[in-house]
Amino acid sequence: MMQGRPAGAALVAGAVIFFLAELIAAAAWTDPPYSYTHHYISNLGVRGPLEALGQFMNSPLAWVMNTGFFLFGIMFFIGVAALEGLRSWRRWAALILGALVALGGVLLAFNPGSGEPPDGAIDYHGLGAFASIVGGNVLVIFLGRQRQQIGVTPKAGRAMVALGVFGLASMVAFLAVASSGANVLIGLVERCAVYPILVGFLCAGTSIRNRRICGRASST
């Protein structure tokens, strides 16, 4: 199945936007330097200064990370919606999971949080993170299993399934470490749950785009 260019481009763009927003926001956080292994990703969206969850939060370019949260979710949903080849319940499943990722990104962007909401308040930031991570990893697995329908190569499809499974397992590990209060390499464990989503969609997007290019070349 040859996909149109928008699907692959949107999936790649969503991942690239997230990585760039994180890199730029982290580079601006210099006092003390931001740590990818110690600090939560969400800290980059907190203007601060404040202390919560045993960490100091003070992101000079918080708006960059929050914009990245918003755009990555929206771009992933656009990419999933533009996929061709999925029919019936498979298309609805992909759209629902894509909408969950998009909703999570929006909640993260508009509710930058420390992870410690006031008593009785709903932790929309936490809900957004959970929706994005769980929904995103499940979606990566699902699309990897539907590789023939969406035009992804066998190698990329297998990689997506493996990435999604690793991401879900890392999510369990992240919750365990976070609940323990130890904060040992918490930033690294969190990224092991998040990055498989981004890499999985990079695999899907580049595979779809390359097949599209190859399909055009072979028809000329």
Side-chain angles (χ1 to χ4, degrees):
M1 185 70 191
M2 291 298 111
Q3 298 290 342
R5 181 171 295 180
L11 293 176
V12 170
V16 171
I17 287 170
F18 188 103
F19 280 129
L20 284 178
E22 183 185 25
L23 180 64
I24 293 170
W29 184 332
T30 57
D31 187 23
Y34 181 83
S35 170
Y36 272 62
T37 59
H38 174 68
H39 290 109
Y40 292 95
I41 298 174
S42 295
N43 292 9
L44 293 171
V46 179
R47 183 63 185 90
L50 60 84
E51 288 190 27
L53 301 176
Q55 296 193 358
F56 177 72
M57 304 179 185
N58 184 25
S59 180
L61 293 181
W63 66 271
V64 172
M65 190 69 249
N66 291 322
T67 301
F69 284 141
F70 178 83
L71 290 178
F72 109 91
I74 298 301
M75 293 305 296
F76 278 169
F77 180 76
I78 292 174
V80 171
L83 288 173
E84 302 170 3
L86 295 175
R87 298 289 183 268
S88 186
W89 67 270
R90 292 179 178 83
R91 178 163 179 78
W92 282 108
L95 288 174
I96 290 171
L97 289 169
L100 193 61
V101 176
L103 175 62
V106 171
L107 288 175
L108 289 170
F110 288 100
N111 299 276
S114 64
E116 295 182 344
D119 292 340
I122 299 175
D123 183 9
Y124 288 109
H125 186 87
L127 288 176
F130 187 80
S132 292
I133 295 174
V134 175
N137 280 300
V138 173
L139 180 57
V140 168
I141 295 172
F142 178 77
L143 293 180
R145 295 291 301 272
Q146 304 300 318
R147 61 172 185 79
Q148 289 183 315
Q149 285 73 28
I150 65 174
V152 170
T153 63
K155 183 177 180 180
R158 289 191 294 269
M160 290 169 66
V161 172
L163 285 164
V165 171
F166 178 75
L168 290 176
S170 297
M171 177 65 177
V172 175
F174 168 72
L175 292 175
V177 175
S179 61
S180 71
N183 271 350
V184 177
L185 298 178
I186 189 68
L188 176 62
V189 179
E190 182 185 25
R191 285 172 170 84
C192 286
V194 174
Y195 285 3
I197 303 170
L198 307 176
V199 176
F201 280 112
L202 281 172
C203 288
T206 54
S207 180
I208 289 169
R209 184 176 176 82
N210 289 340
R211 279 200 164 190
R212 177 68 176 178
I213 293 172
C214 291
R216 285 185 171 181
S218 63
S219 64
T220 56

